[in-house]
């Protein structure tokens, strides 16, 4: 595979323990395929230090936050811990976003707790002038109404988007990017294809959201560069543009989203 594109994986969990034995290989393979850097999303305080250490060791980027799946019983205490680590890293230019946070109606975490964590993280994002990396499952109406009332200063991205064009347009109108992952490569993902067709290319960023243990999957399915190239080529075909043009646009969108220099 040629490295003709210059790409950023805007959401990939390479800090997860599952990757401990394969991380060096995956970063090498990723960069050989033209993916210059990646953003490690924050999911739980347990991972924060490891993310920071990996971002330093492999020269990549990270976000800090709480995923709705991993909230503890002490949201107030957890938000204090998040605020302390953000303060400590406020001059670390590898820290590029707050998240992944959001609302998820399919997870067990009580709704009130999810809301409390979401609101707390929006206010921390504002305080540290960071964009939000949002995880939204079956809660688009609630997330949109919260975003409209809280008006986060830096907007952000709806990662792993799978919804209809109307929803994507509503987020886009609020200044958010739409994170497109491997689902676009699924021939049955008609709603997402419609979304990619109907919005302008500057609405999107691309991601793998890779999080599974490589040894349990065929190696091809954990080739980050290959996955992102396929997504770019699919978008290019849908928008009748060249792959190079789409990859340049995705890079520019990622730089804009995460405020990279
Ligand atoms: Zn994720």
């Amino acid at each position: 595979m040629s490295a003709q594109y210059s790409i950023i994986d805007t959401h990939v969990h390479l800090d997860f323990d599952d990757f401990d034995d394969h991380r060096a290989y995956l970063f090498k393979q990723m960069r050989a395929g033209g993916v210059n850097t990646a953003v490690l999303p924050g999911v739980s305080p347990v991972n924060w230090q490891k993310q920071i250490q990996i971002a330093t060791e492999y020269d990549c980027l990270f976000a800090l936050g709480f995923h709705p799946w991993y909230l503890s019983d002490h949201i107030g205490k957890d938000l204090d811990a998040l605020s302390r680590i953000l303060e400590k890293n406020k001059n670390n230019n590898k820290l590029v976003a707050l998240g992944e946070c959001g609302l998820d109606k399919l997870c067990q975490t009580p709704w009130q707790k999810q809301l409390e964590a979401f609101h707390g993280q929006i206010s921390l994002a504002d305080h540290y002038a960071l964009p939000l990396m949002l995880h939204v499952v079956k809660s688009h109406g609630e997330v949109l109404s919260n975003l409209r009332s809280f008006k986060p200063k830096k907007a952000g991205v709806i990662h792993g988007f799978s919804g209809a064009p109307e929803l994507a347009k509503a987020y886009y109108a609020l200044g958010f990017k739409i994170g497109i992952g491997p689902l676009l490569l699924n021939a049955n993902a008609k709603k997402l294809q419609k979304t990619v067709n109907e919005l302008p290319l500057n609405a999107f960023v691309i991601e793998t959201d890779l999080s599974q243990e490589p040894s349990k999957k065929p190696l091809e399915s954990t080739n980050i560069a290959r996955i992102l190239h396929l997504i770019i080529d699919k978008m290019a075909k849908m928008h009748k543009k060249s792959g190079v043009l789409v990859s340049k646009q995705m890079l520019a969108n990622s730089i804009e989203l995460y405020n990279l220099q």
Side-chain angles (χ1 to χ4, degrees), residues 72-112:
S72 80
D73 287 332
H74 312 281
I75 306 287
K77 231 174 95 190
D78 288 346
L79 287 169
D80 286 346
L82 181 57
S83 144
R84 279 196 301 278
I85 197 162
L86 289 168
E87 181 64 27
K88 221 170 133 189
N89 284 276
K90 66 180 178 189
N91 297 319
N92 183 344
N93 60 10
K94 295 184 186 305
L95 170 63
V96 296
L98 193 307
E100 53 184 301
C101 62
L103 299 173
D104 186 332
K105 281 204 181 140
L106 293 186
C107 82
Q108 303 297 318
T109 314
W111 188 250
Q112 207 42 46

Short mmCIF file of all heavy atoms in Angstrom, two decimals, residues 72-112:
data_model
loop_
_atom_site.label_atom_id
_atom_site.label_comp_id
_atom_site.label_asym_id
_atom_site.label_seq_id
_atom_site.Cartn_x
_atom_site.Cartn_y
_atom_site.Cartn_z
N SER A 72 -18.10 5.96 37.47
CA SER A 72 -18.13 5.34 38.80
C SER A 72 -19.33 5.90 39.57
O SER A 72 -20.13 6.66 39.02
CB SER A 72 -16.84 5.64 39.55
OG SER A 72 -16.91 6.93 40.10
N ASP A 73 -19.44 5.56 40.85
CA ASP A 73 -20.55 6.07 41.65
C ASP A 73 -20.27 7.46 42.20
O ASP A 73 -21.10 8.04 42.88
CB ASP A 73 -20.83 5.11 42.82
CG ASP A 73 -21.50 3.83 42.32
OD1 ASP A 73 -22.19 3.91 41.28
OD2 ASP A 73 -21.30 2.77 42.93
N HIS A 74 -19.07 7.96 41.92
CA HIS A 74 -18.68 9.24 42.52
C HIS A 74 -18.32 10.24 41.44
O HIS A 74 -17.15 10.59 41.25
CB HIS A 74 -17.48 9.04 43.46
CG HIS A 74 -17.67 7.88 44.40
ND1 HIS A 74 -18.45 7.98 45.52
CD2 HIS A 74 -17.22 6.62 44.34
CE1 HIS A 74 -18.47 6.81 46.13
NE2 HIS A 74 -17.73 5.96 45.45
N ILE A 75 -19.33 10.73 40.72
CA ILE A 75 -19.09 11.60 39.58
C ILE A 75 -18.35 12.87 40.01
O ILE A 75 -17.42 13.32 39.34
CB ILE A 75 -20.41 12.01 38.89
CG1 ILE A 75 -21.22 10.77 38.51
CG2 ILE A 75 -20.16 12.88 37.67
CD1 ILE A 75 -20.72 9.97 37.37
N GLY A 76 -18.77 13.43 41.17
CA GLY A 76 -18.14 14.67 41.63
C GLY A 76 -16.65 14.49 41.83
O GLY A 76 -15.84 15.29 41.38
N LYS A 77 -16.29 13.40 42.49
CA LYS A 77 -14.88 13.10 42.76
C LYS A 77 -14.12 12.87 41.45
O LYS A 77 -12.99 13.32 41.27
CB LYS A 77 -14.80 11.82 43.62
CG LYS A 77 -13.94 11.98 44.86
CD LYS A 77 -14.04 10.75 45.75
CE LYS A 77 -12.88 9.80 45.43
NZ LYS A 77 -13.03 8.48 46.08
N ASP A 78 -14.77 12.14 40.54
CA ASP A 78 -14.14 11.85 39.24
C ASP A 78 -13.92 13.13 38.44
O ASP A 78 -12.89 13.29 37.78
CB ASP A 78 -15.01 10.87 38.44
CG ASP A 78 -14.96 9.47 39.02
OD1 ASP A 78 -14.07 9.20 39.85
OD2 ASP A 78 -15.81 8.65 38.66
N LEU A 79 -14.90 14.04 38.50
CA LEU A 79 -14.74 15.30 37.76
C LEU A 79 -13.59 16.13 38.36
O LEU A 79 -12.86 16.80 37.64
CB LEU A 79 -16.05 16.10 37.75
CG LEU A 79 -17.15 15.54 36.84
CD1 LEU A 79 -18.48 16.22 37.11
CD2 LEU A 79 -16.77 15.67 35.36
N ASP A 80 -13.44 16.04 39.69
CA ASP A 80 -12.31 16.73 40.32
C ASP A 80 -10.99 16.15 39.82
O ASP A 80 -10.04 16.90 39.54
CB ASP A 80 -12.36 16.56 41.85
CG ASP A 80 -13.45 17.41 42.47
OD1 ASP A 80 -13.96 18.31 41.76
OD2 ASP A 80 -13.79 17.17 43.64
N ALA A 81 -10.93 14.82 39.71
CA ALA A 81 -9.70 14.17 39.24
C ALA A 81 -9.43 14.58 37.78
O ALA A 81 -8.28 14.85 37.40
CB ALA A 81 -9.83 12.65 39.33
N LEU A 82 -10.49 14.65 36.99
CA LEU A 82 -10.33 15.07 35.59
C LEU A 82 -9.82 16.50 35.52
O LEU A 82 -8.90 16.82 34.76
CB LEU A 82 -11.68 14.93 34.86
CG LEU A 82 -11.69 15.29 33.37
CD1 LEU A 82 -10.66 14.47 32.59
CD2 LEU A 82 -13.08 15.09 32.76
N SER A 83 -10.40 17.34 36.37
CA SER A 83 -9.98 18.74 36.38
C SER A 83 -8.50 18.87 36.77
O SER A 83 -7.75 19.66 36.20
CB SER A 83 -10.93 19.51 37.29
OG SER A 83 -10.29 20.50 37.97
N ARG A 84 -8.06 18.03 37.73
CA ARG A 84 -6.64 18.09 38.15
C ARG A 84 -5.70 17.65 37.03
O ARG A 84 -4.67 18.29 36.78
CB ARG A 84 -6.41 17.20 39.38
CG ARG A 84 -6.82 17.87 40.69
CD ARG A 84 -6.23 17.15 41.90
NE ARG A 84 -6.65 15.76 41.98
CZ ARG A 84 -7.82 15.35 42.49
NH1 ARG A 84 -8.68 16.23 42.99
NH2 ARG A 84 -8.12 14.06 42.54
N ILE A 85 -6.05 16.57 36.32
CA ILE A 85 -5.15 16.09 35.27
C ILE A 85 -5.16 17.03 34.06
O ILE A 85 -4.15 17.21 33.37
CB ILE A 85 -5.43 14.61 34.89
CG1 ILE A 85 -4.22 14.04 34.14
CG2 ILE A 85 -6.70 14.42 34.12
CD1 ILE A 85 -4.16 12.54 34.08
N LEU A 86 -6.29 17.69 33.84
CA LEU A 86 -6.35 18.68 32.74
C LEU A 86 -5.46 19.87 33.08
O LEU A 86 -4.72 20.39 32.25
CB LEU A 86 -7.79 19.15 32.51
CG LEU A 86 -8.73 18.13 31.87
CD1 LEU A 86 -10.18 18.61 31.96
CD2 LEU A 86 -8.37 17.87 30.41
N GLU A 87 -5.54 20.29 34.35
CA GLU A 87 -4.72 21.41 34.81
C GLU A 87 -3.24 21.10 34.64
O GLU A 87 -2.46 21.92 34.15
CB GLU A 87 -5.06 21.72 36.28
CG GLU A 87 -4.31 22.89 36.89
CD GLU A 87 -4.63 24.23 36.22
OE1 GLU A 87 -5.74 24.39 35.67
OE2 GLU A 87 -3.73 25.11 36.26
N LYS A 88 -2.87 19.87 35.01
CA LYS A 88 -1.49 19.44 34.93
C LYS A 88 -0.99 19.39 33.48
O LYS A 88 0.19 19.59 33.20
CB LYS A 88 -1.38 18.04 35.55
CG LYS A 88 -0.15 17.84 36.40
CD LYS A 88 -0.25 16.54 37.16
CE LYS A 88 1.06 15.76 37.03
NZ LYS A 88 0.91 14.40 37.57
N ASN A 89 -1.91 19.11 32.56
CA ASN A 89 -1.53 18.93 31.15
C ASN A 89 -1.95 20.10 30.26
O ASN A 89 -1.94 19.98 29.04
CB ASN A 89 -2.13 17.63 30.60
CG ASN A 89 -1.36 16.43 31.09
OD1 ASN A 89 -0.34 16.05 30.52
ND2 ASN A 89 -1.82 15.85 32.19
N LYS A 90 -2.32 21.22 30.89
CA LYS A 90 -2.90 22.29 30.06
C LYS A 90 -1.90 22.86 29.04
O LYS A 90 -2.30 23.40 28.02
CB LYS A 90 -3.52 23.39 30.91
CG LYS A 90 -2.55 24.16 31.75
CD LYS A 90 -3.29 25.21 32.56
CE LYS A 90 -2.32 25.96 33.43
NZ LYS A 90 -2.99 26.84 34.38
N ASN A 91 -0.61 22.70 29.31
CA ASN A 91 0.38 23.17 28.33
C ASN A 91 0.98 22.04 27.50
O ASN A 91 1.93 22.26 26.76
CB ASN A 91 1.50 23.94 29.03
CG ASN A 91 0.95 25.19 29.70
OD1 ASN A 91 0.11 25.88 29.12
ND2 ASN A 91 1.38 25.47 30.93
N ASN A 92 0.42 20.85 27.64
CA ASN A 92 0.87 19.71 26.85
C ASN A 92 0.17 19.77 25.49
O ASN A 92 -1.05 19.60 25.41
CB ASN A 92 0.51 18.41 27.59
CG ASN A 92 1.02 17.17 26.89
OD1 ASN A 92 1.37 17.22 25.71
ND2 ASN A 92 1.04 16.07 27.61
N ASN A 93 0.92 20.03 24.42
CA ASN A 93 0.23 20.22 23.14
C ASN A 93 -0.26 18.92 22.51
O ASN A 93 -0.86 18.92 21.44
CB ASN A 93 1.07 21.04 22.16
CG ASN A 93 2.40 20.38 21.85
OD1 ASN A 93 2.63 19.23 22.23
ND2 ASN A 93 3.28 21.10 21.18
N LYS A 94 -0.02 17.78 23.19
CA LYS A 94 -0.58 16.52 22.72
C LYS A 94 -2.01 16.30 23.25
O LYS A 94 -2.72 15.43 22.78
CB LYS A 94 0.31 15.35 23.14
CG LYS A 94 1.69 15.38 22.47
CD LYS A 94 2.49 14.16 22.86
CE LYS A 94 3.90 14.21 22.34
NZ LYS A 94 3.98 14.43 20.88
N LEU A 95 -2.40 17.08 24.22
CA LEU A 95 -3.78 17.02 24.73
C LEU A 95 -4.65 17.88 23.80
O LEU A 95 -4.50 19.10 23.76
CB LEU A 95 -3.85 17.56 26.16
CG LEU A 95 -5.26 17.78 26.72
CD1 LEU A 95 -6.06 16.49 26.83
CD2 LEU A 95 -5.18 18.46 28.09
N VAL A 96 -5.55 17.22 23.04
CA VAL A 96 -6.27 17.96 22.00
C VAL A 96 -7.79 17.99 22.15
O VAL A 96 -8.47 18.67 21.39
CB VAL A 96 -5.91 17.43 20.58
CG1 VAL A 96 -4.44 17.67 20.28
CG2 VAL A 96 -6.27 15.96 20.43
N ALA A 97 -8.34 17.21 23.10
CA ALA A 97 -9.80 17.21 23.23
C ALA A 97 -10.22 16.72 24.62
O ALA A 97 -9.42 16.15 25.36
CB ALA A 97 -10.45 16.32 22.17
N LEU A 98 -11.49 16.96 24.94
CA LEU A 98 -12.10 16.47 26.17
C LEU A 98 -13.05 15.34 25.77
O LEU A 98 -13.99 15.54 25.00
CB LEU A 98 -12.85 17.64 26.81
CG LEU A 98 -13.37 17.58 28.24
CD1 LEU A 98 -14.23 16.36 28.52
CD2 LEU A 98 -12.26 17.68 29.25
N GLY A 99 -12.81 14.14 26.28
CA GLY A 99 -13.71 13.03 25.95
C GLY A 99 -12.95 11.73 25.90
O GLY A 99 -11.79 11.69 26.28
N GLU A 100 -13.62 10.58 25.53
CA GLU A 100 -14.89 10.70 24.92
C GLU A 100 -15.98 10.71 25.96
O GLU A 100 -16.02 9.87 26.85
CB GLU A 100 -15.13 9.59 23.89
CG GLU A 100 -14.93 8.16 24.39
CD GLU A 100 -15.11 7.15 23.26
OE1 GLU A 100 -16.18 7.10 22.65
OE2 GLU A 100 -14.15 6.39 23.00
N CYS A 101 -16.90 11.67 25.83
CA CYS A 101 -18.00 11.77 26.77
C CYS A 101 -19.29 11.88 25.98
O CYS A 101 -19.28 12.02 24.76
CB CYS A 101 -17.80 12.99 27.67
SG CYS A 101 -17.76 14.56 26.81
N GLY A 102 -20.40 11.77 26.68
CA GLY A 102 -21.67 11.88 25.98
C GLY A 102 -22.76 11.11 26.66
O GLY A 102 -22.71 10.88 27.88
N LEU A 103 -23.75 10.68 25.89
CA LEU A 103 -24.91 9.98 26.43
C LEU A 103 -25.16 8.71 25.63
O LEU A 103 -25.00 8.71 24.40
CB LEU A 103 -26.15 10.89 26.37
CG LEU A 103 -26.06 12.21 27.16
CD1 LEU A 103 -27.29 13.09 26.86
CD2 LEU A 103 -25.97 11.94 28.66
N ASP A 104 -25.55 7.65 26.35
CA ASP A 104 -25.71 6.35 25.70
C ASP A 104 -26.89 5.62 26.33
O ASP A 104 -26.84 5.21 27.48
CB ASP A 104 -24.41 5.54 25.90
CG ASP A 104 -24.41 4.22 25.14
OD1 ASP A 104 -25.50 3.67 24.90
OD2 ASP A 104 -23.31 3.75 24.80
N LYS A 105 -27.97 5.47 25.57
CA LYS A 105 -29.19 4.85 26.12
C LYS A 105 -29.09 3.33 26.15
O LYS A 105 -29.94 2.68 26.73
CB LYS A 105 -30.41 5.28 25.33
CG LYS A 105 -30.87 6.65 25.72
CD LYS A 105 -32.34 6.88 25.41
CE LYS A 105 -32.71 8.29 25.82
NZ LYS A 105 -33.61 8.93 24.88
N LEU A 106 -28.05 2.76 25.53
CA LEU A 106 -27.92 1.30 25.56
C LEU A 106 -27.06 0.82 26.71
O LEU A 106 -26.95 -0.36 26.95
CB LEU A 106 -27.34 0.79 24.23
CG LEU A 106 -28.23 0.94 23.00
CD1 LEU A 106 -27.60 0.27 21.79
CD2 LEU A 106 -29.62 0.38 23.23
N CYS A 107 -26.43 1.74 27.44
CA CYS A 107 -25.57 1.26 28.52
C CYS A 107 -26.30 1.27 29.87
O CYS A 107 -27.34 1.91 30.04
CB CYS A 107 -24.23 1.99 28.55
SG CYS A 107 -24.23 3.56 29.38
N GLN A 108 -25.72 0.56 30.83
CA GLN A 108 -26.37 0.34 32.13
C GLN A 108 -26.31 1.57 33.04
O GLN A 108 -27.08 1.68 33.99
CB GLN A 108 -25.67 -0.82 32.87
CG GLN A 108 -25.65 -2.13 32.08
CD GLN A 108 -27.06 -2.66 31.84
OE1 GLN A 108 -27.90 -2.63 32.72
NE2 GLN A 108 -27.31 -3.12 30.62
N THR A 109 -25.37 2.47 32.78
CA THR A 109 -25.18 3.61 33.67
C THR A 109 -26.47 4.44 33.79
O THR A 109 -27.03 4.83 32.76
CB THR A 109 -24.05 4.51 33.12
OG1 THR A 109 -22.96 3.68 32.74
CG2 THR A 109 -23.61 5.53 34.14
N PRO A 110 -26.94 4.72 35.02
CA PRO A 110 -28.17 5.51 35.18
C PRO A 110 -28.10 6.85 34.43
O PRO A 110 -27.05 7.49 34.40
CB PRO A 110 -28.25 5.73 36.69
CG PRO A 110 -27.42 4.67 37.30
CD PRO A 110 -26.36 4.33 36.30
N TRP A 111 -29.22 7.22 33.87
CA TRP A 111 -29.28 8.40 33.01
C TRP A 111 -28.85 9.67 33.74
O TRP A 111 -28.11 10.49 33.20
CB TRP A 111 -30.72 8.54 32.48
CG TRP A 111 -30.88 9.58 31.44
CD1 TRP A 111 -31.53 10.77 31.55
CD2 TRP A 111 -30.36 9.53 30.10
NE1 TRP A 111 -31.45 11.47 30.37
CE2 TRP A 111 -30.74 10.73 29.46
CE3 TRP A 111 -29.61 8.59 29.38
CZ2 TRP A 111 -30.40 11.02 28.13
CZ3 TRP A 111 -29.28 8.88 28.06
CH2 TRP A 111 -29.67 10.08 27.46
N GLN A 112 -29.31 9.81 34.99
CA GLN A 112 -28.99 11.01 35.75
C GLN A 112 -27.49 11.17 35.94
O GLN A 112 -26.93 12.26 35.86
CB GLN A 112 -29.72 10.94 37.11
CG GLN A 112 -30.03 12.27 37.75
CD GLN A 112 -30.55 13.31 36.75
OE1 GLN A 112 -31.42 13.05 35.92
NE2 GLN A 112 -29.97 14.52 36.80
#
